[in-house]
C-alpha cells in the first residue's frame, strides 16, 4: 500500500499556495504559455522553489485546474438530470464554453494536451459522463446519429479560437458560433458527412501535436 503524502511544512504549503494562485491569475489573463519564472516572481518565490513543488508545467497546470475538472463533472451530472436529452446536451456544452470564455488558461487547456499530463479521477469521470450525454442525445433522436464523442473536440476547438479572436471586441459572440454549430448537430439537419469521425487515438495525436 502506498504511504500517504507527508504534510508540507507551513512555509512550504504557503509557497505552494502562492504559486498556484499566481499561476491561476496569470494563466487566466495570458494563457498557458506564461513563463514559469514570471509565475515564480508573481508568487514571491524563486524559480527553484517552483520546480521543487512542480517539476514540470503539466504538474502546475494540474494543480491550477483541478477544480475545473470537478466543475465539468458537476455540469455533466446536471445535464444528465435534465429530462430532455437535447436540452441536457446543449446545457453541458454551453456551461463548458462559458468556462472557456471566462478563463484564457482553461480555454488553452481544452484545446491541447500537455506533455507529462496524466488523466485524473475527475477527468476520467467527466469523460464517462460526456459519453452518456452524447449517447442519450443520440438515442433520443435529437442529436445526429453519426455524432461521436470525438466530435465534441470540434466544439471546444472552434470555441477556443473564437474566444481567442473576439474577446477584446465581442466577448459574447462565441454564443452565436456555438448556436450555429448546435444547429448542425441536430438530427433533423443531418446530411451524409464526407469523412468518418476521428478515432480516439487520432484525437490524442492531434491534441498532443497542439502543444509542441
Amino acid at each position: 500500500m502506498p504511504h500517504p503524502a507527508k504534510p508540507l511544512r507551513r512555509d512550504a504549503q504557503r509557497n505552494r499556495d502562492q504559486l498556484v494562485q499566481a499561476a491561476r491569475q496569470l494563466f487566466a489573463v495570458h494563457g498557458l504559455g506564461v513563463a514559469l519564472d514570471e509565475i515564480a516572481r508573481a508568487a514571491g518565490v524563486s524559480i527553484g522553489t517552483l520546480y521543487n513543488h512542480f517539476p514540470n508545467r503539466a504538474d502546475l497546470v494540474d494543480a491550477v485546474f483541478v477544480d475545473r475538472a470537478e466543475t465539468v463533472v458537476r455540469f455533466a451530472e446536471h445535464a444528465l438530470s435534465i429530462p430532455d436529452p437535447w436540452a441536457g446536451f446543449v446545457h453541458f456544452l454551453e456551461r463548458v464554453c462559458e468556462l472557456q470564455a471566462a478563463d484564457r488558461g482553461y480555454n488553452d487547456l481544452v484545446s491541447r494536451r500537455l506533455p507529462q499530463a496524466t488523466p485524473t479521477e475527475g477527468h476520467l469521470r467527466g469523460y464517462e459522463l460526456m459519453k452518456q450525454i452524447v449517447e442519450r442525445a443520440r438515442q433520443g433522436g435529437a442529436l445526429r446519429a453519426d455524432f461521436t464523442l470525438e466530435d465534441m473536440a470540434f466544439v471546444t476547438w472552434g470555441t477556443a479560437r473564437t474566444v481567442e479572436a473576439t474577446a477584446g471586441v465581442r466577448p459574447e459572440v462565441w454564443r452565436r458560433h456555438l448556436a450555429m454549430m448546435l444547429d448542425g448537430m441536430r438530427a433533423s439537419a443531418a446530411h451524409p458527412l464526407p469523412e468518418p469521425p476521428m478515432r480516439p487515438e487520432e484525437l490524442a495525436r492531434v491534441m498532443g501535436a497542439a502543444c509542441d
Side-chain angles (χ1 to χ4, degrees):
M1 295 286 292
H3 296 291
K6 184 178 179 180
L8 294 173
R9 299 191 320 270
R10 183 174 300 176
D11 59 334
Q13 183 64 57
R14 181 177 63 251
N15 288 342
R16 187 184 190 281
D17 292 344
Q18 289 174 179
L19 283 163
V20 170
Q21 181 62 23
R24 179 176 288 120
Q25 292 174 351
L26 288 169
F27 287 159
V29 176
H30 303 291
L32 297 184
V34 176
L36 294 180
D37 57 354
E38 184 176 347
I39 293 172
R41 282 197 302 273
V45 303
S46 70
I47 189 65
T49 298
L50 184 151
Y51 280 118
N52 283 339
H53 287 284
F54 306 105
N56 55 62
R57 184 178 294 269
D59 292 331
L60 178 57
V61 169
D62 284 345
V64 169
F65 292 106
V66 64
D67 61 324
R68 293 293 191 271
E70 296 165 357
T71 298
V72 170
V73 166
R74 291 197 298 273
F75 289 162
E77 289 173 340
H78 182 69
L80 289 169
S81 74
I82 296 173
D84 181 83
W86 176 256
F89 179 79
V90 172
H91 172 86
F92 176 75
L93 288 179
E94 286 180 341
R95 299 293 83 75
V96 170
C97 290
E98 285 172 353
L99 280 184
Q100 291 180 243
D103 187 328
R104 183 173 173 184
Y106 183 72
N107 193 45
D108 285 350
L109 185 64
V110 298
S111 60
R112 68 176 73 180
R113 186 185 65 183
L114 294 179
Q116 294 93 36
T118 54
T120 65
E121 183 177 342
H123 290 121
L124 296 174
R125 172 66 174 158
Y127 180 81
E128 290 303 315
L129 291 173
M130 282 190 286
K131 285 201 297 187
Q132 293 178 39
I133 291 169
V134 169
E135 182 60 25
R136 192 172 77 120
R138 277 200 311 243
Q139 292 294 325
L143 179 64
R144 55 186 304 150
D146 54 0
F147 187 91
T148 70
L149 184 59
E150 287 67 41
D151 289 323
M152 293 276 266
F154 296 124
V155 180
T156 56
W157 293 341
T159 302
R161 298 291 75 81
T162 299
V163 166
E164 184 179 320
T166 64
V169 179
R170 287 278 302 281
E172 294 292 311
V173 78
W174 63 266
R175 296 183 184 277
R176 178 182 174 89
H177 179 188
L178 177 61
M180 286 191 286
M181 286 194 290
L182 285 167
D183 276 351
M185 297 176 209
R186 291 179 182 273
S188 59
H191 292 87
L193 296 172
E195 285 287 327
M198 285 194 296
R199 299 188 299 274
E201 61 272 19
E202 291 175 325
L203 180 60
R205 286 174 57 194
V206 169
M207 294 191 73
C211 62
D212 290 342

